[in-house]
Amino acid sequence: MKRLVILGAPGSGKGSQCKWITKDYDVPHISTGDILRKNIADGTALGVEAKSYMDKGELVPSELVIALLKARLDEEDCKAKGFLLDGFPRTVEQAESLDEYLKENGISLDRVVNIEVPDEEIMARALNRRTCSNPACKEIYNLRDNAPQVENVCDKCGSALFVRDDDNEATVSKRLEVYHTQTEPLIKYYSEQGKLSTVVGQVLLEDTIKLVKAELEK
Ligand code: AMP
């Protein structure tokens, strides 16, 4: 069982890493962005509130996200198998809340993997990203270097692909700014806890996977 956090700017390829980590280590993948998007799709009050922040690239207020995350970590699968957190924590305040929760439950993180990718590369990737609309698949494509066989159709499940509402230039710029000011301090936070592994994102997904795997198996 592993308890992991994956850090990195939005668009650094965290989602792609999470796909194999969750399979290989049999840990639930918990993406706060996905949970929020599900609330938006379901039209919940939380979803309506969250959408206005998300569409602008701003962070959703921490108290909302922390409550969601704790409720998810309280579920049986996380207790039995551990977890892989993706998109949380995003601020030092959230990391402190997570540490409190872990302490109260007598558990701790095994590792925090930080994926480093230059901003220009992130912008290019975001603008070319297409995501499978099937919630059970969620395959991610990139029109530049990992295009689907048929335009706008998922190779794996045949569902339609879509562009996330927040994958536009203004929102990505804002998300990167928010990342540098609010999330980057977590690198120091977890490095001081001796939990951080930094991996430089490679052009080929397989190469990044190898580097991340080496860190998780240390
Ligand atoms: P992501 O899918 O992780 O890129 O998240 C998409 C958007 O959801 C972010 O730009 C934020 O608006 C919101 N979000 C996701 N996770 C968090 C979090 N931990 N704290 C605040 N906002 C979040």
Side-chain angles (χ1 to χ4, degrees):
M1 107 126 72
K2 281 202 188 283
R3 296 187 184 94
L4 305 169
V5 169
I6 188 150
L7 282 183
S12 58
K14 295 194 301 289
S16 304
Q17 295 302 316
C18 288
K19 286 216 142 194
W20 74 263
I21 296 173
T22 191
K23 260 197 223 124
D24 280 24
Y25 293 98
D26 191 27
V27 282
H29 171 211
I30 302 178
S31 151
T32 42
D34 282 352
I35 299 176
L36 292 167
R37 280 185 288 276
K38 168 110 181 31
N39 273 271
I40 294 174
D42 292 348
T44 68
L46 171 74
V48 172
E49 185 172 357
K51 189 171 187 342
S52 59
Y53 296 96
M54 291 169 74
D55 285 351
K56 283 184 282 185
E58 292 171 7
L59 294 185
V60 173
S62 278
E63 64 274 17
L64 297 181
V65 186
I66 290 169
L68 276 182
L69 195 265
K70 286 187 180 171
R72 181 65 187 88
L73 291 181
D74 279 339
E75 288 182 32
E76 270 319 303
D77 58 342
C78 295
K79 298 224 182 292
K81 295 178 166 181
F83 50 77
L84 167 62
L85 298 186
D86 165 16
F88 188 98
R90 266 211 171 54
T91 62
V92 170
E93 181 200 2
Q94 292 183 6
E96 286 168 350
S97 299
L98 175 63
D99 275 346
E100 245 168 63
Y101 174 93
L102 296 172
K103 202 166 162 205
E104 278 163 22
N105 286 278
I107 53 181
S108 61
L109 294 177
D110 295 303
R111 195 119 286 270
V112 176
V113 177
N114 171 41
I115 310 219
E116 260 184 16
V117 175
D119 285 6
E120 309 76 62
E121 173 64 17
I122 286 180
M123 179 61 82
R125 282 189 197 173
L127 300 181
N128 282 297
R129 176 158 60 188
R130 298 293 180 274
T131 308
C132 176
S133 57
N134 172 2
C137 176
K138 292 193 286 190
E139 188 68 11
I140 301 162
Y141 296 87
N142 191 289
L143 300 186
R144 199 185 48 177
D145 39 39
N146 171 32
Q149 306 279 328
V150 180
E151 203 181 331
N152 283 324
V153 177
C154 178
D155 291 349
K156 290 227 165 124
C157 75
S159 302
L161 304 182
F162 75 106
V163 179
R164 278 169 40 170
D165 284 348
D166 52 1
D167 277 344
N168 63 74
E169 194 161 353
T171 303
V172 174
S173 296
K174 180 67 188 169
R175 280 210 309 250
L176 285 170
E177 181 200 320
V178 167
Y179 172 76
H180 290 304
T181 54
Q182 307 204 53
T183 309
E184 223 162 45
L186 292 177
I187 292 173
K188 180 159 175 270
Y189 183 90
Y190 285 120
S191 141
E192 283 172 0
Q193 290 191 2
K195 304 239 151 142
L196 192 81
S197 294
T198 289
V199 163
V200 175
Q202 305 293 305
V203 176
L204 292 179
L205 177 59
E206 302 78 67
D207 292 341
T208 315
I209 291 178
K210 274 190 208 136
L211 295 174
V212 173
K213 201 170 246 174
E215 289 301 322
L216 292 181
E217 272 158 23
K218 262 185 191 166

